[in-house]
Amino acid sequence: MHYWNGLDEVPADLGPTAVTIGNFDGVHLGHQEVLTQLAAAAAEHEASAVAVSFDPHPAQVHRPHQCPEMITGVQERIYRLATTGIDAMLMIRYSLDLAALTPAEFVKQYFVDALNVRVVVVGHDVRFGRGNTGSFETMVELGEQYGFAVVGVEDFGRDRRCSSTWVREALAAGDVASAREVLGRPHAVLGEVVHGAARGRELGFPTANLGQDSEGMIPADGVYAGWLTDGHGRRWPAAISVGSNPTFDGVQRVVESFVIGRPKEKVEDFDLYGQQVRVEFIDRLRGMVAFEGIPQLISQMEEDVARAKLTLGTDDPEHLDARPVPAVEG
């Protein structure tokens, strides 16, 4: 997949394209349905499939104090879009100047002039242009004016429309299993492994702690079964703790992963420090509680690891090679 960070990176000789537009936060099943239909439309029109997105999220510009927490960071969004098989992604820097463009100005500048659009694929609830005054009907009218077709995509979902809001609600409640159903894959948080207080190592459960600048919405406090993919692409089963370590009167929320089935070498010989890792959440095992003493905590941690193994189906776990990372050219 080609990645263009702004109009300046779009090739001047770009051929015809099929285009969709959205924030794509989470790249959930609803987004994937749009992208599937985009690929089909691109094939029909012998065009390249291009997804247009924004950074930062428009809400961060217009109402920063009410902006929803992002499910994924930019890096994960690009990765997930690349897995859908589209040909390119154009990331537009969202600003008040961009927001001031009328629907017609936006479509002419970005879709017609820059992307040589032949077909636009969007949901019927699409909004774009100054004051969100552009609608699906507006897009159809502009298509007639500039010579591109418009394909409308129906809402996707059985009992409820798949949405980023639904995913956020599930993660805020710690219901990572429901989030996984809407996303079509486990939710993931990406970050660098940093040094912590080393309490886990002292207790016999050394953990990989993510730094505070990790990307991705962190689920509610609790203990989860999941997977950790290290910087070498090895995927390990893990018991994951999210919280502030109430037994030790902690105040800062941290994501700590105990790798199950790690090599038998000394801790220092299995060094994840400084690596960029991906932590995937499969199921919530329990909430976060404060224990009366260290023996009770250790006993519970042993039980957590046993339940994580059962949940992940890894009674004798060893690392697995992660799925190939899709190529992103930028």
Side-chain angles (χ1 to χ4, degrees), residues 14 19 30 34 49 113 153 165 169 181 200 219 222 227 240 250 260 270 311 322-323:
L14 180 66
V19 175
V34 172
D113 294 343
V153 181
T165 298
E169 291 174 354
E181 292 181 2
W227 297 87
I240 307 160
I260 301 171
F270 183 67
T311 299
R323 289 172 292 180

Side-chain angles (χ1 to χ4, degrees), residues 213-240:
D213 58 351
S214 59
E215 287 191 2
M217 182 175 174
I218 298 175
D221 289 1
V223 176
Y224 300 83
W227 297 87
L228 181 147
T229 301
D230 65 24
H232 302 291
R234 299 174 300 182
R235 191 166 181 252
W236 303 88
I240 307 160

Side-chain angles (χ1 to χ4, degrees), residues 227 235-237 260-262 314-321:
W227 297 87
R235 191 166 181 252
W236 303 88
I260 301 171
R262 61 188 299 150
T314 55
D315 186 51
D316 185 21
E318 294 181 356
H319 84 266
L320 305 172
D321 288 333

